[in-house]
Amino acid sequence: MESLLQRYRRDRRKLLDFILSSASIHQIPTSSAPTANVSDSDLDVVSADYVLDCLKSGGVVDISEATKRYYEESARPVMIHSQLGDSYFLSSDPDLAESPPRRLPPRIHVNQSSNHSSSSSENIAMSGDGHDLKYTTTTSTPLKPVENLNIFSLGLPILNTGLSDDDLRESAYEIMLASIVFSGVQVYTVQDRKKEKSSKFLSGFKGKMDKAHLQSQSLGRHSELIDTIRVQMQISEVMDLCMRQKLMQFATRKLCDRIDIPQISLGLLNSIFKSDFVHEKSYMQWKYRQANILEEVLYFFVNLKTAERLTIKSSLAKIRNTKEWDFIMPPSERAEVLLAMKEVASKLASVPGQFGIHDETCYWTAGYHLNIRIYEKLLFGMFDVLDEGQLIEEADEILMLIKLTWSSLGINQRMHNVLYGWVLFQQFVGTDEATLLEYAILEVQQVLSTEDIDGKEEQYMNSLVCSRVFNGKEKKLSLVEAIFFSMSIWCDSKLLDYHLHFSKKLDNFKTVMTLALAVGFITSSEGGEIKLTKTNGLDEIAAKKLQTYIQKSIEAAYSRVAATMDLESKLERTHPLALLANELRLIANRELTVFCPILRHWCPEAGMISAMLLNQLYGERLKPFLKGVTSLSEDVKLVLPAADMLDHDLTQLYSSACKDHGSFHPFVQDFDHYEIGEISRPIILDWVIAQHGRILEWTGRAFDLEDWEPLSSQQRQAVSVVEVFRIVEETVDQFFGLNLPMDITHLQALLSVIFHSLDTYLQKVISELVEKSYLFPSTPSLTRYKEMVIPIAKKKLVESTPLDEKVNNKLNELTISKLCVRLNTLQYIQKQMRTLEDGIRKSWALVRPSANQRWTKEESLENLEESSMMSSESIDELFSTTFNIIRDTATDAINKICDFIGTKVVFWDLRDSFLFRLYRGNVEDARLDSILPHVDTVLDQICDLIDDALRDLVVLSICKAALEAFVWVLLDGGPSRAFSDSDIPMMEDDLNMLKDLFVADGEGLPRSLVQKKAEFAEQILSLFALQTGTVIQMLMTASEHISTGLDSRKHGRLCLGDAQTLVRVLCHKKDREASKFLKRQYQLPMSSEYDDTPSKDSTLRSPLISDLIKRSASFHWTEKGQSSFISLKKKLQEATSEIRW
């Protein structure tokens, strides 16, 4: 696989090569040898800064000095040429490291490269033609770049000639192209064939056509595929054209069908010359690569004779000598050199294979380390160069062409599968493309399922030895074992901390687990020997290994979190144990939802292991803290909820594992809970008790500061009630925000706090009202109608008593607007109570019981369900009792204030315009039409202020008060009011006008309701319409009932035909017969002798005032009313006895 780093190095070499090939740099003199060509130098270890400095200064380039400078620079962090000179790149990722490091950056260790082991202390002198630049290579020990620790080496034998990745890639293309040509496939050699191929997915080969057309199409398709391979392997078009031409010529001259690497290299060296290259540098690189390939295959052949080895050595020396090979030596001598090498190669090729496999040659085993590397390069060529995580569209077709190289490289099907799986695996590690890992697993499974009938291929593959070092000891492995070892080591390293490696790549976890189980686990025997142990995934070995993965991953995740807790707690200003619990909850949640569902396929108890381990690790830190908990401090508020939620999540994880394991029990008895509920129970109650006093204090303060002005035009309630509910809701939020286990005792304590707070507020609202009796005016004594003939000095009927100052101040404060705000406030309480109750119910449903309540050993499941039902019923009863009492209290307060508002509006605020004006003197001049605008104005004011839900209730109260006032004028109007028969129609019209006012053309109160409330007033008017004699007779009948105990009143209720009502009708009747009757029977004074103008600021309880009070409240009698009625009863009895006599 060619990583981005390898690409960077290749581009760096090309750029340095271009710079060093420039004629602008002077020749470099050497003291120990002739000038050296740039191709002899390893540009990977040449300092680019040094070369650029020499170019700028016009100096000479010393390769040894450039190499020395490279290693000095690599030992230090990469610097940025800033003005300060103190900026550098870090080896670590600063985003992952978070805070800046407080230490020196780590040194970059550079290991020696096996690929450059061919560099020696010998000074090799080479010169190029046409260039002034000369290179000197001195003794050095090159080091390879830092290896990628994520992809492990197979341990193949080293390449003695130091072939680079570019050399292997280009050689791989040549071998594949030669295999295609020698397989009989014709490849086009037209120079203008320039096609740009992009990596796209195709659907496959086309359908069948006729044979001739299919052959033509096949040839074109092969050429297209070869062009695609060339682009993928980054081979220039010029080089590709040359290779195609020479290989086609070579194929026509070659007689045998078998082709191997030495034949390909020798054939190309024999047919390709310097003139075939545009740049000499390209030719030199190509020639040296061919020489290195031949040296790797032939010179280092194990069983090669000394003479043959010397022949190969001398021939390679001639090929590498540029002056001799390309300028001095004639073509015939070059042919002889190549022929000598060809004879050695042919002799080796004729040696029979060790294992008797078809087409086997000795090169299969002698050069397997090279063959495998070359085949890997071919397989890597199937990945898109622009997107290394994707196979190109033509991958399947190209793979068929790659398989043509099997006989040359000693590859069989099983070997291909394992190498292809290895390449896919490496590409996955580099790109994190999960699909590649799935493909790799398929290849591994094919390797494991392949059966070798005669065992020859198995023996052959076992001979391909790789060497790995484990614990300081070298271990010999077959190719398959080496690949499986590498895969297992990588999987093991990831799975030992799967929380780190797969938390953000969840889909990869199962795939990696599948691969680990497929290739086996690395285990060690008692003697310390490392071996790869196969498993079926369900045996004891797999179980132990998976348990180790779980334990190590949990411990590693815990260690990472715990290591940063102290610092993070300082930054976030919270307790470390709370942060730790929250982080462990994330780990537990990943275990429950991601990892355990996968692990349980092979390890059913995975969740139990992780839950108990997390419980133990956190418990070791938590228990010392719990011992010091005595109150609900800020630290306790942070730690206990976090610990309890962690306990809940771990219990859930443990329980799910128990169920999967087949040992599920509804009560997890083996799990050691943190006992948060037992510790928190008393301190929560203490906290609620403390909140009780605080809320009552704030409630009283808010009420005392209340001025009973609406909050806004939209929010018409008082400010204080909003503040009270804010305090209550804040307390509720804090209560449930504790996130601690609770029981019904805690709920009862909270509801008690809410009840006392709101009840206290309601009682304060009600207590500010005054007795309704203070609102009624002084009621004059009874008189009989008599017109004044001679003016005399009038006297007051009743001496008024001034109201108490406190009562008067209260009445002045209780304006209609403030009373409306009070009603709106009570309505707001009603609405908020529903919201508050619903919120508390929902929050309580989310409250977790304590761990002991959840998992009580003594209780059975049936008992627990029964207990849960009883608890639910108790909770419902507790909610209903608490909130219904508050609602009832608020409703009573609303009714009381509504009743108070109606009485105050009519009997206090409109006393002058209504009571003292209506029908005073005579009916015609003081009718109701002049008073109704005042009532209408008050109604408009109230409708603007009052909540819509309360409007009809308040208007009805005013309607009732207005009708009572109308009756008061008729029955207790005093000496200034007397009604003749001609006044009755006008009074009836006025009563209808009053009813219509409240009906308001259908927009006010229902007419039926108003009519019902006006019935008594209409009945009173009907009494005035009767003849005086009839009324007197009714009075006598009522008096007889009184004397016989058959009173028309029922339970103190004033009725139409009772004596008091009839006496009052006679007193206000402008009738001579009535006056005489009252004078003769009751000795009542004349009305013309008294002034009945009362004072608004005074009130007096006259003997009959209680009648009015009770009449306004469903017309019931008080004790004082009863006593007044008894005195009047005696007079009526006396009058009746006189009449009878």
Side-chain angles (χ1 to χ4, degrees):
M1 179 184 65
E2 184 179 32
S3 64
L4 292 176
L5 179 60
Q6 291 171 331
R7 290 187 188 179
Y8 161 74
R9 287 174 178 158
R10 184 182 69 251
D11 294 342
R12 183 180 183 275
R13 287 194 296 271
K14 291 180 180 179
L15 184 58
L16 280 173
D17 185 27
F18 173 77
I19 295 174
L20 293 173
S21 301
S22 173
S24 61
I25 301 180
H26 295 86
Q27 289 184 348
I28 306 172
T30 62
S31 58
S32 59
T35 58
N37 195 292
V38 68
S39 61
D40 299 315
S41 303
D42 186 0
L43 298 182
D44 282 338
V45 293
V46 171
S47 171
D49 290 339
Y50 171 79
V51 174
L52 293 175
D53 290 341
C54 291
L55 180 63
K56 293 177 182 178
S57 62
V60 295
V61 177
D62 186 348
I63 296 297
S64 62
E65 179 64 22
T67 303
K68 180 180 178 182
R69 286 277 297 275
Y70 171 80
Y71 291 120
E72 290 177 352
E73 293 170 356
S74 65
R76 299 187 298 270
V78 181
M79 302 296 293
I80 301 175
H81 298 292
S82 62
Q83 295 180 354
L84 297 177
D86 59 354
S87 301
Y88 55 86
F89 294 105
L90 298 175
S91 295
S92 59
D93 188 349
D95 293 332
L96 297 178
E98 296 182 353
S99 58
R102 301 182 181 275
R103 54 178 173 78
L104 294 175
R107 294 177 62 86
I108 301 178
H109 301 286
V110 184
N111 301 325
Q112 185 174 1
S113 173
S114 60
N115 289 345
H116 297 95
S117 59
S118 62
S119 300
S120 65
S121 59
E122 294 182 300
N123 293 329
I124 304 175
M126 296 185 179
S127 63
D129 58 300
H131 293 284
D132 296 332
L133 183 61
K134 297 182 179 180
Y135 307 87
T136 300
T137 304
T138 59
T139 303
S140 63
T141 305
L143 301 177
K144 73 174 184 178
V146 180
E147 68 175 355
N148 189 349
L149 297 179
N150 291 326
I151 304 178
F152 299 90
S153 171
L154 291 179
L156 291 168
I158 63 172
L159 295 172
N160 298 284
T161 56
L163 289 167
S164 65
D165 287 337
D166 288 341
D167 294 335
L168 294 172
R169 175 175 48 80
E170 293 171 0
S171 296
Y173 180 75
E174 291 175 354
I175 293 170
M176 189 193 68
L177 192 60
S179 299
I180 294 173
V181 171
F182 279 91
S183 67
V185 177
Q186 296 290 327
V187 294
Y188 293 131
T189 59
V190 182
Q191 297 185 15
D192 62 347
R193 185 178 180 81
K194 299 180 180 180
K195 296 183 178 181
E196 294 294 334
K197 295 292 182 181
S198 61
S199 299
K200 304 176 182 177
F201 286 98
L202 299 178
S203 59
F205 293 107
K206 296 182 178 179
K208 293 183 178 180
M209 300 181 179
D210 59 275
K211 185 175 181 181
H213 181 70
L214 182 61
Q215 291 178 350
S216 175
Q217 184 184 21
S218 177
L219 291 175
R221 182 58 179 166
H222 286 155
S223 184
E224 291 178 358
L225 293 175
I226 293 173
D227 279 341
T228 300
I229 298 172
R230 176 191 64 77
V231 174
Q232 286 292 117
M233 302 191 73
Q234 302 180 28
I235 306 298
S236 67
E237 291 187 53
V238 176
M239 188 69 179
D240 175 58
L241 177 61
C242 181
M243 291 299 109
R244 293 193 192 192
Q245 290 175 341
K246 302 305 180 183
L247 286 173
M248 290 292 292
Q249 296 172 5
F250 181 43
T252 58
R253 296 193 305 268
K254 193 175 185 305
L255 300 177
C256 63
D257 295 333
R258 296 176 60 178
I259 187 72
D260 52 40
I261 293 177
Q263 290 183 44
I264 296 172
S265 294
L266 290 172
L268 291 175
L269 282 171
N270 188 46
S271 57
I272 295 179
F273 306 98
K274 179 181 177 181
S275 59
D276 293 320
F277 288 83
V278 179
H279 301 289
E280 179 187 359
K281 184 62 180 177
S282 299
Y283 168 69
M284 297 299 295
Q285 290 178 344
W286 175 85
K287 185 181 69 171
Y288 270 92
R289 175 167 57 80
Q290 300 299 335
N292 289 336
I293 290 290
L294 290 171
E295 181 180 5
E296 192 73 44
V297 177
L298 299 177
Y299 180 77
F300 293 102
F301 193 88
V302 177
N303 297 323
L304 192 65
K305 296 180 180 179
T306 304
E308 295 172 341
R309 194 180 303 276
L310 291 175
T311 300
I312 297 297
K313 182 178 181 180
S314 61
S315 298
L316 290 175
K318 292 177 182 179
I319 294 173
R320 286 179 173 135
N321 192 319
T322 302
K323 183 177 181 181
E324 181 179 2
W325 181 264
D326 295 313
F327 296 99
I328 299 177
M329 188 178 295
S332 59
E333 292 185 12
R334 290 199 297 268
E336 291 177 0
V337 172
L338 295 176
L339 181 60
M341 297 182 66
K342 183 178 180 182
E343 291 176 352
V344 176
S346 299
K347 183 179 179 181
L348 295 177
S350 63
V351 176
Q354 299 180 21
F355 306 101
I357 303 174
H358 179 68
D359 288 339
E360 180 188 359
T361 66
C362 64
Y363 297 123
W364 283 20
T365 53
Y368 74 89
H369 62 299
L370 176 63
N371 297 339
I372 291 172
R373 287 183 171 95
I374 289 175
Y375 196 70
E376 280 187 293
K377 293 300 178 184
L378 290 173
L379 294 176
F380 277 123
M382 294 193 300
F383 294 95
D384 196 327
V385 292
L386 300 178
D387 186 358
E388 294 179 344
Q390 299 293 329
L391 289 165
I392 62 173
E393 176 188 358
E394 303 90 342
D396 292 338
E397 297 176 85
I398 291 176
L399 188 59
M400 299 302 296
L401 297 179
I402 291 176
K403 288 183 177 181
L404 297 175
T405 65
W406 283 13
S407 61
S408 300
L409 298 176
I411 306 296
N412 55 36
Q413 183 63 52
R414 190 162 183 258
M415 193 172 175
H416 161 77
N417 289 337
V418 74
L419 287 174
Y420 191 27
W422 173 239
V423 167
L424 289 165
F425 171 76
Q426 292 181 81
Q427 205 74 3
F428 158 73
V429 173
T431 62
D432 283 332
E433 181 59 46
T435 307
L436 299 180
L437 185 58
E438 295 174 0
Y439 293 160
I441 293 174
L442 293 177
E443 298 297 327
V444 169
Q445 290 172 345
Q446 289 186 23
V447 173
L448 296 173
S449 62
T450 301
E451 295 184 1
D452 186 9
I453 299 176
D454 55 8
K456 293 180 180 180
E457 290 189 356
E458 184 71 22
Q459 295 176 9
Y460 164 62
M461 294 189 66
N462 289 337
S463 69
L464 309 179
V465 179
C466 300
S467 179
R468 298 294 300 273
V469 177
F470 298 100
N471 298 331
K473 296 180 180 181
E474 184 179 12
K475 184 177 180 63
K476 300 296 183 180
L477 303 168
S478 68
L479 177 63
V480 175
E481 290 176 337
I483 290 176
F484 282 5
F485 253 94
S486 296
M487 288 181 175
S488 182
I489 290 173
W490 184 89
C491 292
D492 199 63
S493 67
K494 302 301 178 183
L495 293 174
L496 283 171
D497 194 357
Y498 55 73
H499 277 278
L500 174 65
H501 299 292
F502 299 106
S503 290
K504 296 182 180 179
K505 305 168 188 174
L506 304 178
D507 296 336
N508 291 352
F509 178 66
K510 184 177 182 179
T511 316
V512 173
M513 276 294 305
T514 303
L515 178 62
L517 292 167
V519 300
F521 297 115
I522 296 177
T523 59
S524 59
S525 62
E526 295 180 357
E529 180 183 359
I530 302 296
K531 61 179 180 179
L532 190 65
T533 305
K534 299 295 182 179
T535 176
N536 60 6
L538 301 176
D539 52 23
E540 185 179 356
I541 296 175
K544 289 183 178 179
K545 194 66 176 179
L546 292 177
Q547 290 176 11
T548 302
Y549 288 154
I550 296 169
Q551 291 174 358
K552 295 297 183 182
S553 295
I554 292 295
E555 290 173 355
Y558 175 81
S559 298
R560 277 193 301 273
V561 172
T564 60
M565 282 302 99
D566 291 336
L567 179 59
E568 289 188 14
S569 66
K570 293 178 181 178
L571 295 176
E572 298 186 17
R573 298 173 184 249
T574 188
H575 200 281
L577 286 176
L579 285 177
L580 182 58
N582 292 334
E583 292 297 327
L584 294 184
R585 286 187 66 204
L586 297 177
I587 296 174
N589 184 63
R590 286 197 297 268
E591 283 285 327
L592 178 64
T593 59
V594 178
F595 298 121
C596 283
I598 297 173
L599 291 170
R600 69 166 60 110
H601 294 297
W602 306 284
C603 183
E605 65 275 11
M608 299 171 63
I609 296 172
S610 56
M612 294 184 70
L613 184 56
L614 286 170
N615 178 273
Q616 175 189 346
L617 293 172
Y618 186 72
E620 292 173 355
R621 291 197 176 197
L622 178 65
K623 288 179 181 178
F625 176 84
L626 294 180
K627 292 180 180 179
V629 173
T630 57
S631 62
L632 206 58
S633 63
E634 291 301 319
D635 286 345
V636 172
K637 289 180 182 179
L638 294 172
V639 175
L640 291 192
D644 184 65
M645 287 188 287
L646 175 61
D647 185 89
H648 178 268
D649 291 349
L650 294 180
T651 302
Q652 186 180 7
L653 175 59
Y654 188 95
S655 304
S656 65
C658 289
K659 183 177 181 180
D660 297 332
H661 194 251
S663 58
F664 174 73
H665 192 275
F667 312 107
V668 184
Q669 301 176 7
D670 298 331
F671 197 72
D672 184 18
H673 297 281
Y674 296 138
E675 298 182 352
I676 303 299
E678 290 75 4
I679 295 173
S680 62
R681 189 176 190 276
I683 62 177
I684 293 176
L685 290 176
D686 292 342
W687 179 83
V688 174
I689 292 172
Q691 297 304 306
H692 186 208
R694 184 182 70 89
I695 295 176
L696 289 179
E697 180 183 353
W698 275 97
T699 301
R701 183 180 302 175
F703 190 89
D704 293 339
L705 296 175
E706 182 58 69
D707 57 1
W708 300 107
E709 293 295 333
L711 193 61
S712 65
S713 58
Q714 289 76 28
Q715 296 177 316
R716 302 172 183 177
Q717 68 274 9
V719 178
S720 59
V721 74
V722 176
E723 180 67 12
V724 169
F725 271 98
R726 185 192 66 79
I727 298 169
V728 170
E729 290 170 358
E730 181 182 281
T731 303
V732 171
D733 291 341
Q734 290 177 357
F735 178 81
F736 290 109
L738 295 175
N739 289 326
L740 291 172
M742 298 176 186
D743 54 31
I744 194 171
T745 305
H746 298 110
L747 178 62
Q748 187 175 8
L750 176 67
L751 295 182
S752 177
V753 170
I754 296 173
F755 172 80
H756 285 98
S757 301
L758 296 178
D759 186 68
T760 299
Y761 186 86
L762 290 172
Q763 296 304 325
K764 286 180 175 291
V765 172
I766 296 173
S767 66
E768 287 197 337
L769 299 179
V770 299
E771 289 294 333
K772 202 168 65 169
S773 60
Y774 292 110
L775 299 174
F776 297 112
S778 301
T779 304
S781 299
L782 298 177
T783 61
R784 57 188 176 83
Y785 173 75
K786 182 67 175 178
E787 291 184 1
M788 181 179 62
V789 180
I790 302 173
I792 60 175
K794 294 185 178 182
K795 57 185 178 182
K796 288 285 186 182
L797 280 173
V798 179
E799 294 295 331
S800 300
T801 303
L803 284 174
D804 183 75
E805 184 178 358
K806 291 182 179 180
V807 175
N808 193 57
N809 292 337
K810 275 189 174 184
L811 284 172
N812 292 334
E813 287 292 327
L814 294 173
T815 62
I816 296 301
S817 63
K818 292 186 177 183
L819 288 170
C820 288
V821 172
R822 280 175 168 81
L823 282 176
N824 294 337
T825 301
L826 295 173
Q827 181 66 18
Y828 177 81
I829 291 176
Q830 296 275 42
K831 294 179 181 178
Q832 289 300 109
M833 287 299 296
R834 290 191 292 270
T835 304
L836 182 62
E837 181 180 2
D838 292 342
I840 295 176
R841 282 182 179 272
K842 291 178 181 178
S843 298
W844 182 254
L846 301 176
V847 169
R848 299 182 305 279
S850 64
N852 285 351
Q853 287 179 306
R854 292 193 297 262
W855 314 107
T856 304
K857 298 182 182 180
E858 291 77 8
E859 289 185 334
S860 65
L861 182 60
E862 292 77 9
N863 292 337
L864 183 63
E865 292 177 352
E866 183 179 354
S867 175
S868 177
M869 292 178 61
M870 292 177 62
S871 176
S872 177
E873 293 176 358
S874 300
I875 290 172
D876 289 340
E877 183 179 357
L878 183 60
F879 272 105
S880 299
T881 302
T882 303
F883 287 97
N884 286 344
I885 291 175
I886 297 176
R887 290 190 187 99
D888 292 343
T889 304
T891 301
D892 292 342
I894 289 174
N895 293 333
K896 189 171 183 179
I897 293 179
C898 283
D899 191 45
F900 183 84
I901 286 179
T903 304
K904 184 176 185 298
V905 166
V906 176
F907 287 92
W908 186 265
D909 297 339
L910 297 179
R911 178 181 294 187
D912 291 336
S913 58
F914 199 124
L915 295 182
F916 297 164
R917 182 176 177 183
L918 181 63
Y919 303 151
R920 179 174 291 277
N922 61 78
V923 172
E924 187 175 2
D925 295 335
R927 292 190 63 181
L928 191 62
D929 55 356
S930 62
I931 301 172
L932 290 182
H934 299 283
V935 179
D936 190 52
T937 301
V938 173
L939 289 175
D940 289 341
Q941 179 187 3
I942 290 175
C943 289
D944 291 338
L945 293 173
I946 203 69
D947 186 272
D948 291 341
L950 297 173
R951 187 195 65 173
D952 288 353
L953 195 61
V954 176
V955 172
L956 178 61
S957 174
I958 297 174
C959 175
K960 289 166 58 179
L963 291 171
E964 291 169 3
F966 186 83
V967 173
W968 187 92
V969 170
L970 297 182
L971 299 181
D972 296 311
S976 60
R977 290 180 174 89
F979 312 114
S980 63
D981 293 341
S982 61
D983 295 332
I984 303 304
M986 291 185 289
M987 296 166 66
E988 290 176 346
D989 290 341
D990 288 349
L991 180 59
N992 290 330
M993 291 171 57
L994 184 61
K995 291 190 293 183
D996 291 339
L997 173 68
F998 290 100
V999 173
D1001 295 329
E1003 296 182 2
L1005 297 175
R1007 181 173 293 277
S1008 60
L1009 180 61
V1010 175
Q1011 183 63 38
K1012 183 177 180 180
K1013 299 299 178 182
E1015 286 179 356
F1016 188 75
E1018 292 175 344
Q1019 292 172 355
I1020 297 299
L1021 280 177
S1022 65
L1023 290 178
F1024 280 100
L1026 295 175
Q1027 294 296 322
T1028 302
T1030 304
V1031 176
I1032 292 174
Q1033 185 60 42
M1034 292 173 63
L1035 176 60
M1036 293 300 101
T1037 302
S1039 299
E1040 289 179 359
H1041 290 166
I1042 293 175
S1043 63
T1044 59
L1046 300 176
D1047 196 353
S1048 59
R1049 291 175 292 105
K1050 296 180 181 179
H1051 307 291
R1053 186 182 301 272
L1054 186 62
C1055 298
L1056 182 65
D1058 71 358
Q1060 289 213 38
T1061 303
L1062 296 172
V1063 168
R1064 284 179 167 77
V1065 170
L1066 291 173
C1067 289
H1068 291 84
K1069 215 169 176 18
K1070 190 184 290 187
D1071 182 83
R1072 186 169 183 160
E1073 182 181 356
S1075 179
K1076 287 182 178 181
F1077 173 78
L1078 292 174
K1079 177 181 180 182
R1080 181 176 70 252
Q1081 298 300 328
Y1082 303 107
Q1083 294 82 42
L1084 296 181
M1086 293 185 297
S1087 60
S1088 58
E1089 298 178 359
Y1090 293 90
D1091 182 7
D1092 62 347
T1093 305
S1095 172
K1096 180 180 179 180
D1097 297 332
S1098 64
T1099 185
L1100 181 68
R1101 295 181 181 271
S1102 68
L1104 299 179
I1105 194 65
S1106 296
D1107 301 341
L1108 183 59
I1109 294 173
K1110 280 302 165 186
R1111 189 162 65 246
S1112 66
S1114 301
F1115 304 102
H1116 282 80
W1117 291 81
T1118 62
E1119 293 181 0
K1120 291 186 176 181
Q1122 292 283 3
S1123 60
S1124 299
F1125 175 73
I1126 292 173
S1127 62
L1128 180 59
K1129 178 179 177 181
K1130 291 181 179 179
K1131 291 183 178 182
L1132 291 174
Q1133 288 176 342
E1134 293 174 357
T1136 304
S1137 61
E1138 289 178 1
I1139 294 174
R1140 286 175 179 175
W1141 285 101

